[in-house]
Amino acid sequence: MDSSLEIIKSEIEKRHQGDVKQLAVVFDTNNRLLVEAPAGYGKTNTMVSKIAYMLATNEIPYPKRLLALTFSVNAAYKIKKDVSLKVPELLKDSNLNIKISDKIFVSNYHGFCRRILKKYGYLLHSNLLNIDNLQSIDDSKPRNTMRDVTGLSYENAMFLSEYNTSLKELKYDFVKDNIIKYNQIIIDELISREVIPYNAILTLTIKLFNDYPKILSFYQNFFTSILVDEYQDTNTLSYWILNKLITEKTNVLLLGDSLQRIYGFIGAIPNLLNLSAEKFNLQKIELDKNYRFAQNPSMLLLDKNIRSNAENPKNPQILEEANIEFEILEDQNEESLYVINKAIKLIREDPEAKVAILVKQRGANITRIIDTFNLNNVPFFYGLYSDEDPIYTKFHRTCLFEFIEILKVNNRVSKKMGKSHQLKIKSLYEENNSPLIEAISNLLSLFWERIFIDFAFVSNEEKIILVKDTFENYGLKQYVEFVNSSIIISTVHGAKGLEWDYVIIPDMEKDSFPNFWGLCNGCSSNSDCILEIKDENESKFLEELSVFYVAVTRGRKQVYFSASKKQLDNSGNYRVKNSSCFMNLKGINKSTKAQQSTVVKNK
């Protein structure tokens, strides 16, 4: 081993402080690895060190590249930032002269495919040469598609919608058997009119690879190593792209956590980690040290026990119960007071802290909590939106449309452009001062601000792709971490990938968390909500447990739970409800810590 490599290896060992599993990933000579990486287990550091070691050992020889992909645009740019800043630190004391940008290409799936179409898409249609200026549309709703595409028949609009639905509902055969028809309609009817749907960026890349094998062969040989982060979120089309790119010679590193798969409702493939281990002949390594909760034994044990329930739902191996603080209140009025008092108390005791109140979905119960905050003039950030929320999605599509219009005049991404874009969006929504629009507008401002802080180092072309991908992926929610508010009220899906000091999870009742459609509908444990896992409900249980686990692991210091004995329905009437079956999971011991009210106002 030469001296440079010894220096790098020593630096990596020092950084990982004897973590056997992390070092196994970094130094393993097997070129096919699957890394099970739960939240807080040091995945990012492991990934950065692995890339540094691959560069040091010339596993990415010039002019070849490592392709790093992820589902979310924000996650992709975090990887880009981490790699750009931290890999050079690991290599600085060696005599290696490596330019990171010449070795690694980082993107989300859509950003990667957009690059390919920008270069070779003209072979499918000349308008793809100018893909950055094509207007992006949502083809999931027939009437909206017909509104956006003049002359499109209702029959074709219905087919595009059906294809979207099939992707979300994992109807693999329909997606595979009809991709040719889908692409033909896209090319003939939409690209020709200078519009492009979100899914088509992937389907047209698949068509390009199928129709032009030499292009596919070029990318297979160019990207000799492929790394995929957040692999559990991969959907059918993304997986199809990977299958095209990965050959017998490709180095493969997949990182993910099967218990954080919460995008099943938009098409994330179930059990993908295990399926891919077999498909690509991967050696599996499970990271096993939780650094996020290392100084917090109760949270460490809660994390472990939830994962035990996921690993063996019918008979989890529990050695010690985790104590949780679970407050059961008489009704939603009392619960809303508990939540606001708890949040205030936490901030008074820890003034620099941020508190997140996370819920499964909007409804009458969370509305009562919000009313209590407003009534008592306690400020908070409103983050109750999801990728399926029509107002949230329309705001992003409006942002995308106006950004593309600006690009037609000036394609230089600058602070001036950002201000111009924000002013335009503000003028379009000046008569809408709803909490949701106010919140997303705040996120838009933060997004433009962070572009020139976090991504000042990327090229203008990459900034354009970042902006377009963020709006196309409904990604403004990821900028909640930068809001200037001590209290955030958010959905769990909106909180994915983020962290706060403390998390409060209210509405832990039957039909709320898990909700009626998620697990409670048809459950045979209605009388006591002590869930018995059987073959017929195991899949739904694991899906809902994933959302619960993501909610719990958003808290760095502590998580608190609450429920009401009487739950509000959508008509504002109270219904007696059991506490959630998740509060009865094996390995959870509930304790109550009553507190005096510090806020007395309520409806």
Side-chain angles (χ1 to χ4, degrees), residues 55 141 156 397 419 474 543 573 593:
L55 292 172
K141 296 179 176 61
N156 282 343
R397 305 207 77 80
K419 289 179 180 178
Y474 310 132
E543 284 198 13
N573 300 315
K593 295 183 179 179

Side-chain angles (χ1 to χ4, degrees), residues 1-33 35 45-59 90-91 251-253 255 283 285 287:
M1 186 183 297
D2 63 37
S3 58
S4 293
L5 190 56
E6 286 180 358
I7 292 170
I8 293 168
K9 190 169 183 178
S10 175
E11 181 64 27
I12 289 172
E13 289 172 342
K14 190 190 309 178
R15 291 200 177 197
H16 291 270
Q17 300 178 347
D19 189 310
V20 175
K21 292 296 184 70
Q22 290 185 7
L23 291 172
V25 174
V26 176
F27 297 132
D28 200 301
T29 56
N30 188 322
N31 65 352
R32 301 228 161 180
L33 291 177
V35 180
N45 284 336
T46 305
M47 181 171 35
V48 167
S49 294
K50 179 67 173 178
I51 291 172
Y53 195 68
M54 290 175 72
L55 292 172
T57 53
N58 200 33
E59 285 186 48
L90 285 169
L91 302 178
N251 297 330
V252 180
L253 175 60
L255 305 102
Q283 175 189 340
I285 298 178
L287 302 186

Side-chain angles (χ1 to χ4, degrees), residues 172-428:
Y172 306 114
D173 290 341
F174 184 91
V175 170
K176 182 179 179 181
D177 294 344
N178 288 279
I179 189 171
I180 293 175
K181 179 180 179 181
Y182 178 82
N183 279 329
Q184 205 57 55
I185 293 173
I186 295 298
I187 292 170
D188 293 345
E189 303 286 346
L190 278 69
I191 302 296
S192 61
R193 291 178 170 88
E194 299 188 340
V195 296
I196 186 168
Y198 182 66
N199 287 323
I201 294 172
L202 300 189
T203 63
L204 290 175
T205 303
I206 292 169
K207 177 176 173 58
L208 194 67
F209 286 163
N210 286 338
D211 292 355
Y212 298 92
K214 288 185 178 180
I215 294 176
L216 173 60
S217 179
F218 167 78
Y219 284 105
Q220 288 172 336
N221 291 316
F222 187 61
F223 293 114
T224 54
S225 298
I226 294 178
L227 179 157
V228 185
D229 189 25
E230 300 291 350
Y231 187 61
Q232 75 280 347
D233 293 331
T234 303
N235 71 4
T236 301
L237 295 179
S238 302
Y239 183 67
W240 202 336
I241 295 286
L242 285 176
N243 267 277
K244 295 284 185 185
L245 293 171
I246 295 174
T247 71
E248 292 181 357
K249 297 179 180 180
T250 310
N251 297 330
V252 180
L253 175 60
L254 308 179
L255 305 102
D257 180 12
S258 52
L259 193 48
Q260 292 190 71
R261 176 188 166 269
I262 66 171
Y263 290 115
F265 68 100
I266 55 173
I269 301 171
N271 199 33
L272 184 60
L273 273 68
N274 289 334
L275 291 173
S276 297
E278 183 175 346
K279 166 74 176 178
F280 300 121
N281 191 26
L282 305 173
Q283 175 189 340
K284 187 174 182 179
I285 298 178
E286 297 182 17
L287 302 186
D288 59 3
K289 288 187 179 180
N290 188 325
Y291 293 91
R292 182 176 298 172
F293 302 142
Q295 307 305 317
N296 188 335
S298 65
M299 287 294 289
L300 197 64
L301 188 56
L302 179 59
D303 177 273
K304 180 180 179 181
N305 288 355
I306 295 174
R307 297 195 70 85
S308 294
N309 276 274
E311 290 163 9
N312 189 355
K314 295 175 184 176
N315 186 27
Q317 302 303 301
I318 305 294
L319 300 178
E320 180 184 356
E321 287 193 327
N323 294 317
I324 65 169
E325 184 176 322
F326 177 41
E327 200 76 17
I328 304 176
L329 292 304
E330 285 299 318
D331 56 32
Q332 191 59 40
N333 281 336
E334 293 299 316
E335 187 179 1
S336 64
L337 282 174
Y338 164 78
V339 171
I340 192 171
N341 289 335
K342 191 67 175 178
I344 290 172
K345 185 173 184 288
L346 289 169
I347 292 169
R348 283 177 178 171
E349 293 175 350
D350 191 353
E352 300 300 316
K354 287 199 173 187
V355 179
I357 299 162
L358 302 183
V359 298
K360 182 76 188 295
Q361 67 275 310
R362 284 180 298 188
N365 295 283
I366 188 61
T367 297
R368 183 60 56 88
I369 292 173
I370 288 172
D371 289 344
T372 304
F373 271 86
N374 289 331
L375 186 63
N376 290 278
N377 296 314
V378 177
F380 65 93
F381 179 81
Y382 183 96
L384 295 174
Y385 39 72
S386 71
D387 289 353
E388 302 288 283
D389 188 310
I391 297 174
Y392 180 77
T393 56
K394 185 178 179 181
F395 186 93
H396 280 77
R397 305 207 77 80
T398 302
C399 286
L400 180 60
F401 179 88
E402 296 302 335
F403 177 68
I404 292 172
E405 290 301 301
I406 292 174
L407 279 181
K408 292 176 181 177
V409 178
N410 173 25
N411 69 350
R412 186 72 188 170
V413 178
S414 62
K415 293 181 180 179
K416 183 178 179 181
M417 173 192 277
K419 289 179 180 178
S420 176
H421 184 261
Q422 290 176 71
L423 287 172
K424 179 63 177 179
I425 299 302
K426 183 178 179 180
S427 70
L428 294 174

